[in-house]
Amino acid sequence: MTEKNLVTAIHDTLHDEMAADDRVVLIGQDVGARGGVFKVSEGFMAEFGEQRVIDAPLAESGIVGVAIGMALHGLLPVAEIEFADFIHPAFDQILSEASRMRYRTNGDWGCPMVIRAPCGGGIHGALYHSQSIEAFYAHIPGVKVVMPSTPADAAGLLHTAIADPDPVLFLEHKKCYRLIKGDVPDVPQPTPIGQADVKREGTDLTVVSYGYELHRCLDAAARLEQDEGIHAEVVDVRSLAPLDTETILVSVRKTARAMVVYEDNRTYGAGAEIAATIAERAMFDLDAPIVRIGGPDIPAMPFAGALEHYYMEPEPDHILVAMRDLAHF
Amino acid sequence: MSAQVTETAHGSLGLGVDDLLAMHRTMLTARLIDEAALRQNRMGRAPFVVPVSGHEGCQIGTAWPMRPGIDIWVPYYRDLGVVLVAGMTPEQIFLGLFSKASDPTSGGRQMPSHWSSRGLGIVSHSSPISTQVPHAAGIAYAMKYRNEDGVVASWFGEGATSEGDWHEGLNIASIHRLPVVFICENNEYAISVPQSKQMAVADVASRAEGYGIPGFVVDGNDVLACFRVMKEAHDRARAGEGPTLIECKTYRFLPHTSDDDDKSYRSREEVEERRHHDPIERFATYLVDGGITDRAALQTVHDEVKTQVESAIKAAWDAPDPDPATATRHVFAEDDP
Ligand SMILES: Cc1ncc(C[n+]2csc(CCOP(=O)(O)OP(=O)(O)O)c2C)c(N)n1
Ligand SMILES: [Mg+2]
């Protein structure tokens, strides 16, 4: 085990995957000499060469489209979208091409590829460097969407994503990059896609979350336990598609109280799917209505400190307060 | 840099008599499948047909230098002639037309003429125009990376050249000097929109200059001229000299699809005039005038192909439909049986 922050865990895992298999190639903007704007590929070009670490022109649809072609001809491309906010020109390539290559050929062709995209806010990124994009893509049959929140999960999920025979959108929350540290196994431990993880056990309520919000939930849960004796169980979704409904439902049936916390705009966000799943399948196990906390429905997120703070925390300690209210319902 | 290609004599092209006759037979097969498919449409047996008639010269000409088993084909919906050269059989074409379980392109999942066959090296494409162009670049990148001798060819219409993906694909392929040939089948219309409203230039090929690659305009109704310009582009790709953009000037004789009414946007006189430049008749005349074959032999070929198409229709029509229980399969690899 070695303690690392999240971005270092991603860098090291990607490095080891490239060293282990020369089918793995990286394509994206500034991934070469610059080593990526977040330094995920720092040193790669010198070590693996320009052929495997490809500085792409400014064309996101082209990057994903070319990666699809590579995947169709025996490579295992990892496409980097510099910021998730700029992935939208590639939406058609992901929706109409990568996601349904297997389905539309009745299983003849497949697209083993990973698209990495740094997402999320709270980092003074304003409207176009802060967005949560997971809901758009988790809605598409044929794409897997993951968002690890700890360095160990980032390493394990990236390892699994590269080995996966289908396209995986690998979302990295920028605020977690350097803030979140943790032990990472020195030998890669694959983290299965489609498996949630109980990050904190508890008996009084279930909090389902992912990304940076997960850490705020964990923090609130720790304070509530210490100060008020409320034991919250915190489930890290990790994989938005496919969603591990079983782990969520087992927890909810145990605690009889459910809350979903996500940073994305509240309406039609991933939390809506999770809340609907709980309502459909655990309604009679619940002692209280499901609580859903999402970001406000404004274009995420304004630049000025006070405005950005409003997006992330509209009321003081709003997550902790909601958890307390739910526990006492 | 875009140049005009005119020379047509086969002598300098390395094509033997067998090649010429096989090319002619393939062109005719595409035409007769087309006509039969439209009849099936009118009989209510084929909900959707994409005609090829008029494009046979440029399709068979540009497809012929490709090496099945080595090169990769990235076609678009109008490329019936291309996929016949790649090795698809008339029966397989009709299995697709009738969306049967054994349709090799998609098992009846896609609309007809959305070609694919991994075994034949034909890459699956979708309906959104031009999305396949970056795929061609990516496959060519993988070929170059793996030191393979392969070449990728991608076909599309002139309307497709307005899409962003078209530009992005050509740009990336050109930056890396990838072994790929881009072939535009310019039939002057994108459904109803004429070329004058699609672009401000006379030739798609002139766009090649913007990518730093060679571009050629060729008479798309002259199968041998198309062969020649493709053969040279294919050789350049294999020699590591990068992509070529080929523009074949041609014409579609029939409506855009079986759902289109082309009378609303082009006159019957125009269509009639263009039929005088039929690539199949032109090639037949070349073969007869050159003493390579005679009209009686060509009639025999016509009859043989017609019989083959008819038995393909019968076999395909009798094949089983897809089982509804399979509709949820193959979303992910783990769903594969
Ligand atoms: C992205 C997208 N926009 C619109 C359409 C509808 N559409 C189908 S074919 C076509 C015209 C294409 O023309 P061209 O590229 O010249 O090829 P042609 O059909 O003439 O061979 C259009 C507009 C589509 N399939 N995809
Ligand atoms: Mg056209």
Side-chain angles (χ1 to χ4, degrees):
Chain A
M1 290 283 189
T2 307
E3 198 192 49
K4 294 175 186 176
N5 62 28
L6 191 101
V7 75
T8 306
I10 294 169
H11 169 281
D12 293 355
T13 307
L14 194 51
H15 172 275
D16 295 350
E17 296 294 322
M18 291 190 74
D21 188 341
D22 67 6
R23 293 175 301 166
V24 182
V25 298
L26 186 59
I27 179 167
Q29 290 149 15
D30 302 296
V31 299
R34 175 75 170 78
V37 289
F38 293 104
K39 303 271 177 211
V40 165
S41 54
E42 189 167 37
F44 286 15
M45 195 163 88
E47 184 174 349
F48 300 115
E50 284 188 17
Q51 267 218 307
R52 294 186 66 193
V53 185
I54 306 155
D55 265 331
L58 247 163
E60 287 73 17
S61 188
I63 290 170
V64 173
V66 165
I68 290 170
M70 293 169 162
L72 293 172
H73 202 68
L75 301 188
L76 299 174
V78 177
E80 177 175 306
I81 300 294
E82 200 154 70
F83 287 86
D85 309 66
F86 309 131
I87 198 172
H88 307 305
F91 188 73
D92 192 34
Q93 284 290 344
I94 298 170
L95 168 72
S96 303
E97 305 299 323
S99 79
R100 57 187 66 184
M101 187 63 74
R102 189 178 302 284
Y103 188 82
R104 79 182 186 211
T105 61
N106 214 10
D108 202 21
W109 291 96
C111 263
M113 62 190 288
V114 176
I115 304 169
R116 293 184 34 249
C119 67
I123 44 89
H124 311 298
L127 275 63
Y128 301 104
H129 296 78
S130 300
Q131 290 169 82
S132 300
I133 61 156
E134 62 273 17
F136 301 119
Y137 297 91
H139 186 63
I140 304 174
V143 184
K144 300 181 180 180
V145 182
V146 301
M147 196 187 314
S149 304
T150 66
D153 283 347
L157 280 170
L158 186 56
H159 178 78
T160 313
I162 290 172
D164 198 284
D166 289 304
V168 180
L169 178 60
F170 190 89
L171 297 172
E172 304 164 7
H173 198 292
K174 299 189 291 291
K175 197 166 170 88
C176 295
Y177 264 164
R178 288 173 220 288
L179 189 66
I180 305 301
K181 299 187 177 63
D183 281 340
V184 179
D186 295 321
V187 183
Q189 301 288 316
T191 303
I193 293 175
Q195 226 175 69
D197 186 40
V198 177
K199 285 282 192 290
R200 181 189 183 92
E201 296 202 7
T203 48
D204 298 333
L205 73 154
T206 295
V207 182
V208 184
S209 190
Y210 59 92
Y212 174 61
E213 294 300 279
L214 174 91
H215 296 287
R216 305 176 82 193
C217 295
L218 286 169
D219 173 64
R223 285 189 284 139
L224 273 179
E225 183 164 317
Q226 192 172 16
D227 301 344
E228 306 177 30
I230 294 171
H231 301 278
E233 178 147 304
V234 181
V235 178
D236 180 0
V237 169
R238 295 199 295 202
S239 164
L240 292 145
L243 184 67
D244 176 4
T245 52
E246 272 327 297
T247 300
I248 295 168
L249 291 170
V250 164
S251 175
V252 167
R253 288 187 181 120
K254 179 175 78 175
T255 65
R257 288 174 162 78
M259 178 168 146
V260 190
V261 184
Y262 55 116
E263 181 180 315
D264 194 2
N265 300 118
R266 174 184 155 90
T267 304
Y268 290 104
E273 180 63 32
I274 295 167
T277 302
I278 297 168
E280 266 179 348
R281 299 189 37 206
M283 173 77 101
F284 299 110
D285 299 299
L286 292 178
D287 290 340
I290 302 163
V291 175
R292 179 156 63 110
I293 299 184
D297 287 324
I298 56 174
M301 47 188 71
F303 185 67
L307 297 176
E308 183 187 74
H309 186 78
Y310 171 81
Y311 188 104
M312 299 296 282
E313 193 169 336
E315 307 282 341
D317 235 348
H318 70 301
I319 297 174
L320 182 139
V321 170
M323 284 165 69
R324 179 196 291 136
D325 289 350
L326 180 58
H328 292 306
F329 183 89
Chain B
M1 158 179 57
S2 89
Q4 202 81 27
V5 177
T6 48
E7 185 223 358
T8 61
H10 72 273
S12 60
L13 300 177
L15 289 170
V17 167
D18 288 351
D19 285 310
L20 298 177
L21 294 177
M23 289 169 88
H24 174 265
R25 181 184 286 262
T26 310
M27 291 167 75
L28 196 60
T29 305
R31 176 70 55 91
L32 294 185
I33 287 176
D34 211 26
E35 291 172 355
L38 279 170
R39 280 196 300 276
Q40 295 297 311
N41 173 257
R42 279 180 223 112
M43 287 163 67
R45 302 212 300 184
F48 184 70
V49 175
V50 182
V52 64
S53 293
H55 284 238
E56 298 91 341
C58 68
Q59 290 184 11
I60 276 70
T62 55
W64 210 262
M66 295 279 284
R67 299 159 299 166
I70 301 170
D71 297 330
I72 296 283
W73 319 70
V74 187
Y76 81 122
Y77 49 80
R78 205 163 305 287
D79 285 325
L80 169 59
V82 170
V83 299
L84 286 174
V85 177
M88 254 194 209
T89 65
E91 183 174 332
Q92 289 174 321
I93 306 281
F94 284 102
L95 286 168
L97 193 76
F98 298 141
S99 55
K100 297 296 188 169
S102 51
D103 154 33
T105 70
S106 77
R109 289 169 173 218
Q110 290 233 69
M111 292 174 111
S113 296
H114 286 51
W115 314 112
S116 174
S117 165
R118 191 170 189 173
L120 295 175
I122 302 170
V123 176
S124 164
H125 60 92
S126 59
S127 298
I129 303 284
S130 272
T131 48
Q132 83 277 22
V133 176
H135 304 172
I139 296 165
Y141 194 98
M143 282 178 169
K144 185 172 177 181
Y145 177 77
R146 290 157 42 142
N147 284 319
E148 293 172 4
D149 174 40
V151 174
V152 184
S154 180
W155 289 261
F156 42 80
E158 86 293 342
T161 67
S162 300
E163 287 283 358
D165 271 353
W166 188 84
H167 160 70
E168 295 184 25
L170 263 80
N171 189 39
I172 296 177
S174 301
I175 289 166
H176 294 280
R177 302 186 75 72
L178 300 178
V180 51
V181 185
F182 298 104
I183 301 145
C184 178
E185 301 177 31
N186 184 346
N187 58 14
E188 300 176 22
Y189 293 90
I191 308 185
S192 68
V193 178
Q195 183 180 338
S196 60
K197 291 181 181 165
Q198 192 72 242
M199 63 192 81
V201 292
D203 299 322
V204 166
S206 66
R207 300 217 186 276
E209 194 176 351
Y211 303 105
I213 62 172
F216 298 93
V217 176
V218 61
D219 180 348
N221 302 326
D222 182 343
V223 63
L224 294 179
C226 293
F227 173 87
R228 189 188 119 186
V229 71
M230 178 62 180
K231 180 84 181 79
E232 290 167 359
H234 190 271
D235 287 346
R236 269 194 302 280
R238 287 181 69 193
E241 292 170 27
T244 301
L245 173 60
I246 297 172
E247 176 185 12
C248 308
K249 303 275 196 193
T250 189
Y251 197 80
R252 139 170 84 69
F253 295 157
L254 296 168
H256 171 69
T257 66
S258 52
D259 294 333
D260 178 35
D261 173 14
D262 65 331
K263 291 188 215 64
S264 62
Y265 56 84
R266 51 183 200 179
S267 72
R268 294 308 87 190
E269 293 71 32
E270 176 185 312
V271 178
E272 201 39 52
E273 196 284 319
R274 300 327 260 331
R275 277 190 180 274
H276 293 309
H277 306 281
D278 187 323
I280 301 182
E281 182 46 35
R282 181 163 163 184
F283 193 37
T285 303
Y286 175 86
L287 295 175
V288 171
D289 289 356
I292 292 158
T293 187
D294 57 32
R295 288 284 166 189
L298 289 180
Q299 185 59 46
T300 308
V301 172
H302 185 280
D303 296 343
E304 282 170 15
V305 173
K306 198 160 191 284
T307 308
Q308 188 195 9
V309 168
E310 270 155 22
S311 59
I313 291 171
K314 167 125 190 38
W317 182 253
D318 291 341
D321 291 327
D323 175 358
T326 63
T328 56
R329 273 211 205 134
H330 303 302
V331 176
F332 292 112
E334 52 263 35
D335 306 336
D336 294 356

